[in-house]
Amino acid sequence: MNKTARVNTMMRYINNRQFFTIRELMTHFHVSRSTVIRDLNNIQELGMPLTANVGRDGGYAVMQNQLLPAVQFNSEELKALFVSFLATLNTQLPYLQNRNTLTEKLVAIASQTQQDDLLTLQELLVFSHTNPANTKLTELTDFAPAMLKTLLNACLTNRQLQFQLADATCTVWVRHVYNRQDAWYVDAWELTTQRFREIAVTAIREITPVTQAQTLDPQVITAAIKAARPKPNVTLFLRATAIQQFRQHPHPTAVLQFLDPFQQTAKLECTVDVTQPQQLTDFARWCLYLGHEAQLTLAPAVVKQALRQELTTQLAQLG
């Protein structure tokens, strides 16, 4: 019996008893003391509150009237949740280890028949970057940057943060954290220079929340952003194929303005900082990714030049 099935069966066994001991579980499930203790810890994490009585005749009991209301899923709902968790293993999302634990817990609440279906689905489905020789193996390329989880947890407390970068320190208000072309970035408002700045998560060495005394009123930040917001300097016209490409890799800060009821044509207005070479290169590559059905209708000359240069480079690589 595998771990998930054992924990699931043990929960049912415990639920039918007012009192039980570790030795009783060891004998019934033919496992060691350390295994029983680990399984009991997992069962408590799943929401079953247990009380322990210390002493020679000690053991465990389920706290009466303390269980959370049971959440019931039908087979199709369980499959939908399980497949969603499997798919997210391959998109460099944060909290990867936690999602693996959630998948195990999802299997634990399923019946034996449902468990068999879920495990079969895990063997059948192969997503992007999944190793077909071992679908349970998470490739190194699937893991998010180590600092991403730290960044998100810090933002949940205070979105005004101080970043220690390789060559500088900056104090920012985090507007968005987004993924573009398999890399994570912070769309940040720099509080000292009063301008937006794109920072790669991999460039961040240390994160420190701004102290309560130095934290600015959110209304002050909103007013400063509104006053400094640049006007769009780039306009793109997109047809159906380009719109589909956009949905795969959307612009981090701008949204599509659909021009027809069937969403087959759209307009995108955004701002490209022409003083930032990396931003010019990134935009050029992203624009070319959208394909020939993305037409540049308005842009500074330096943006057009960046597009030509990137296209020339890609053509040269084809030989």
Side-chain angles (χ1 to χ4, degrees), residues 59-78:
Y60 289 82
V62 180
M63 294 175 63
Q64 297 299 315
N65 301 320
Q66 295 296 317
L67 284 173
L68 295 174
V71 177
Q72 300 294 331
F73 295 104
N74 63 37
S75 295
E76 297 306 303
E77 289 169 338
L78 272 174

Side-chain angles (χ1 to χ4, degrees), residues 130-231:
T130 300
N131 187 330
N134 184 354
T135 56
K136 297 181 181 180
L137 178 66
T138 302
E139 301 283 1
L140 291 178
T141 54
D142 297 332
F143 286 97
M147 191 57 72
L148 179 60
K149 184 176 177 179
T150 302
L151 169 65
L152 294 177
N153 287 339
C155 287
L156 294 177
T157 303
N158 187 356
R159 289 168 67 178
Q160 297 179 45
L161 305 169
Q162 185 179 78
F163 291 162
Q164 179 64 52
L165 307 177
D167 55 353
T169 301
C170 61
T171 304
V172 303
W173 173 75
V174 177
R175 180 169 66 162
H176 300 296
V177 180
Y178 59 91
N179 184 286
R180 185 179 70 234
Q181 296 178 343
D182 295 331
W184 284 94
Y185 298 91
V186 181
D187 177 26
W189 172 256
E190 197 163 358
L191 297 173
T192 52
T193 60
Q194 299 284 288
R195 66 184 180 91
F196 278 112
R197 181 176 178 183
E198 182 185 80
I199 303 172
V201 172
T202 52
I204 303 173
R205 300 290 182 265
E206 187 177 342
I207 299 173
T208 306
V210 172
T211 63
Q212 188 65 36
Q214 295 177 318
T215 299
L216 298 178
D217 188 323
Q219 293 184 354
V220 173
I221 297 176
T222 301
I225 291 174
K226 186 176 180 180
R229 189 184 302 277
K231 293 182 179 179

